[in-house]
């Protein structure tokens, strides 16, 4: 199952359904509430888990108040693109071919320059490859899986690998989702704008030097400030 969810801005640690030799992934999802401090209780503080983006990658339990019924899991490999593996899967039709190409170029440059992998899935639950993306993309600790799904209101959801979680403050994902993922933003500007601005902001964040202030701000709209990598500079002529 892959779908959007709305929970307080904190990561939930979940155990993989793969053998114990594989590391856990850290999950960041968007929300409409203020970020809550991390506590020793971890996932037991989650108030709502409706259809988390990480469910395609991990086994997720319903931990919450029961405000939403848990959607059925989805595993539809027939929805995966045929031929060469692509870093962008748009089963919802949110992106034009040129927009997909632009994102793929930026994602490729990011991986080449930093080793970090960004993968983007645009969907409308339950029309999603679901569990099938796990093996298709070979998700690892240096991968961010970005799921764009407006089904439950807010559109941006992230599954963050453990290696990236050590580099990027968890608050960044909540701020990013709050800026470009809220219902008012994507309904006014379109799903493509939310997706492309989020990709560009992630690109800029992951290129910043490690340190106290890494990813302390979320990049502005496309055209307001270029990505720090060569793709952004070429695109905006800076």
């Amino acid at each position: 199952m892959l779908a959007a969810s709305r929970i307080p801005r904190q990561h939930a640690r979940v155990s993989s359904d793969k053998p114990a030799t594989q590391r856990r992934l850290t999950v960041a999802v968007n929300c409409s509430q203020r970020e809550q401090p991390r506590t020793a209780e971890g996932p037991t503080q989650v108030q709502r888990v409706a259809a988390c983006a990480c469910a395609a990658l991990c086994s997720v339990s319903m931990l919450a108040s029961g405000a939403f019924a848990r959607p059925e899991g989805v595993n539809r490999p027939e929805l995966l693109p045929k031929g060469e593996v692509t870093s962008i899967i748009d089963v919802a039709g949110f992106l034009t071919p040129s927009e997909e190409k632009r994102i793929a170029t930026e994602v490729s440059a990011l991986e080449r320059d930093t080793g970090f992998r960004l993968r983007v899935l645009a969907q409308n639950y339950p029309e999603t490859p679901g569990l099938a993306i796990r093996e298709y993309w070979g998700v690892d600790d240096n991968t961010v899986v970005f799921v764009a799904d407006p089904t439950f209101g807010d559109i941006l959801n992230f599954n963050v690998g453990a290696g990236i979680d050590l580099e990027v403050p968890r608050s960044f994902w909540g701020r990013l989702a709050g800026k470009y993922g809220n219902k008012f933003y994507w309904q006014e500007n379109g799903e493509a704008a939310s997706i492309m601005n989020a990709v560009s902001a992630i690109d800029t964040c992951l290129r910043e030097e490690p340190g106290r202030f890494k990813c302390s701000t979320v990049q502005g709209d496309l055209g307001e400030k270029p990505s720090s990598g060569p793709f952004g500079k070429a695109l905006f002529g800076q």
Side-chain angles (χ1 to χ4, degrees):
M1 172 192 69
L2 270 177
S5 65
R6 301 179 62 195
I7 67 175
R9 287 180 188 164
Q10 65 178 21
H11 288 50
R13 290 283 182 180
V14 293
S15 298
S16 172
D17 55 1
K18 288 198 170 186
T21 55
Q22 189 169 3
R23 293 184 183 178
R24 293 183 299 174
L25 295 177
T26 301
V27 177
V29 294
N30 75 340
C31 64
S32 59
Q33 301 181 23
R34 289 186 178 275
E35 191 171 305
Q36 302 294 322
R38 282 183 261 176
T39 69
E41 295 179 1
T44 61
Q45 295 299 312
V46 178
Q47 295 179 341
R48 286 192 267 180
V49 177
C52 193
C54 70
L57 307 171
C58 335
S59 176
V60 179
S61 298
M62 191 68 173
L63 301 174
S65 61
F68 297 99
R70 184 180 180 185
E72 293 295 326
V74 176
N75 184 24
R76 300 181 61 186
E78 70 273 13
L79 292 180
L80 293 171
K82 302 299 187 290
E84 187 177 352
V85 174
T86 174
S87 57
I88 316 297
I89 301 175
D90 181 12
V91 293
F94 294 150
L95 302 166
T96 65
S98 62
E99 288 168 341
E100 285 193 42
K101 183 177 181 180
R102 181 185 299 180
I103 291 172
T105 299
E106 187 158 15
V107 166
S108 177
L110 175 67
E111 186 171 349
R112 182 191 66 232
D113 297 341
T114 68
F116 294 131
R117 306 167 71 228
L118 176 60
R119 299 295 182 262
V120 181
L121 171 63
Q123 64 173 41
N124 272 309
Y125 178 84
E127 293 300 311
T128 168
L131 291 166
I133 69 167
R134 180 174 49 200
E135 293 184 4
Y136 178 81
W137 277 331
V139 175
D140 60 17
D141 286 347
N142 286 324
T143 303
V144 176
V145 176
F146 167 16
V147 180
D149 188 332
T151 303
F152 296 96
D154 295 347
I155 194 173
L156 306 184
N157 300 271
F158 310 96
N159 188 84
V160 183
I164 296 175
D165 187 46
L166 295 174
E167 294 275 342
V168 179
R170 297 181 179 184
S171 59
F172 170 78
W173 305 105
R175 286 184 283 110
L176 175 59
K179 183 168 187 175
Y180 295 126
N182 70 80
K183 188 174 182 179
F184 300 102
Y185 184 89
W186 69 259
Q187 285 190 338
E188 180 177 351
N189 299 280
E191 297 91 346
S194 288
I195 295 168
M196 295 181 69
N197 280 314
V199 167
S200 190
I202 294 169
D203 176 78
T204 297
C205 163
L206 293 179
R207 290 178 181 276
E208 292 179 4
E209 293 295 325
R212 180 179 177 184
F213 299 105
K214 181 178 177 68
C215 305
S216 59
T217 61
V218 176
Q219 178 183 289
D221 290 356
L222 281 168
E224 177 182 329
K225 178 184 177 182
S227 300
S228 58
F231 173 73
K233 293 175 181 177
L235 179 63
F236 298 107
Q238 297 187 15

